[in-house]
Each structure stands twice: as C-alpha cells, then as structure tokens.
Amino acid sequence: MAQLRQDYDEFVTLDAEVLVIGPDGPRAFQRTWEKEAFPFPGLADPQHKVADAYNQEVNLLKLGRMPALIVVDKNGQIRFEHYGESMSDIPLNRQVLELLDELNREPMTVAAYGEARQ
C-alpha cells in the first residue's frame, strides 16, 4: 500500500480513486489507516464478501489473501485485472497510471441514464 501512497496524487490527477480492501475487521483496519495515514479510502472485508465477488484468492500457505488489482471504469466495467501469485506480485504504479491515461483519452460515451460520461 505504500507504493500506492507514493503516487496517489497522480491517480487523483487522472480522475481515479484508489480503494484498498483488506481482510481485517473494522477496528484493526481503522488502526492501520490511522497509523499509516493512507490518503485513500479503505474497506474492511473480514467476511471476504468483496474478495469473493471479485475472485480474489485466499491462500493460507502464502500468508492469506493474495494481492489483486482491478481497474473499474466510470461506467462500472472492469478494464484491467491482476491477481497476484505472491504477496509481492503487484503491478507497478506506472503500468496502472498509463492504463488510466489511455482510458481518459477514450471518447465520451452516454451512460444508460443519459448523462455524458468518460
């Protein structure tokens, strides 16, 4: 998560939000957020409901929940998925930032409810 903190301003500049979902309960998760002063939101998911919805692997032999990075566009479509095979298997911020830049250059589309969206 420190990697995401380093480039958080660049994510925001590209009209993106970082959301970290973790396996801890709400109190432990809040303590971590306060201690680390992460600038992005986090979501406690101790029952693994969100992790299960996005097929994130839990492997107790590899220290728990494997990293996953998913980019969802403004229309709610998944545009990129990466499921790590180890705790260090995480895409570089630069790769994700380049993808976001590409998505921002795509032509505007009309959402189902009639508002113009990127």
Side-chain angles (χ1 to χ4, degrees), residues 9-114:
D9 289 340
E10 288 186 61
F11 285 101
V12 172
T13 298
L14 290 170
D15 202 21
E17 183 57 84
V18 171
L19 172 65
V20 173
I21 302 167
D24 296 330
R27 288 188 179 142
F29 207 74
Q30 183 176 3
R31 279 194 303 273
T32 299
W33 243 247
E34 290 171 356
K35 177 184 172 198
E36 300 295 333
F38 291 125
F40 39 80
L43 174 68
D45 185 30
Q47 301 301 319
H48 311 290
K49 291 180 181 182
V50 176
D52 290 346
Y54 287 94
N55 300 312
Q56 186 179 18
E57 179 185 359
V58 175
N59 186 328
L60 297 178
L61 297 175
K62 293 185 178 181
L63 305 176
R65 194 182 293 188
M66 295 291 95
L69 189 144
I70 301 167
V71 175
V72 180
D73 71 12
K74 294 177 183 179
N75 292 317
Q77 295 181 339
I78 294 174
R79 301 298 294 268
F80 175 82
E81 298 175 271
H82 176 84
Y83 295 96
E85 295 184 16
S86 70
M87 291 304 204
S88 62
D89 184 8
I90 301 168
L92 297 174
N93 285 354
R94 185 64 32 218
Q95 294 170 287
V96 180
L97 291 166
E98 287 172 5
L99 171 65
L100 292 170
D101 189 45
E102 287 176 33
L103 292 175
N104 282 335
R105 285 187 270 131
E106 288 183 357
M108 299 281 282
T109 61
V110 177
Y113 48 87

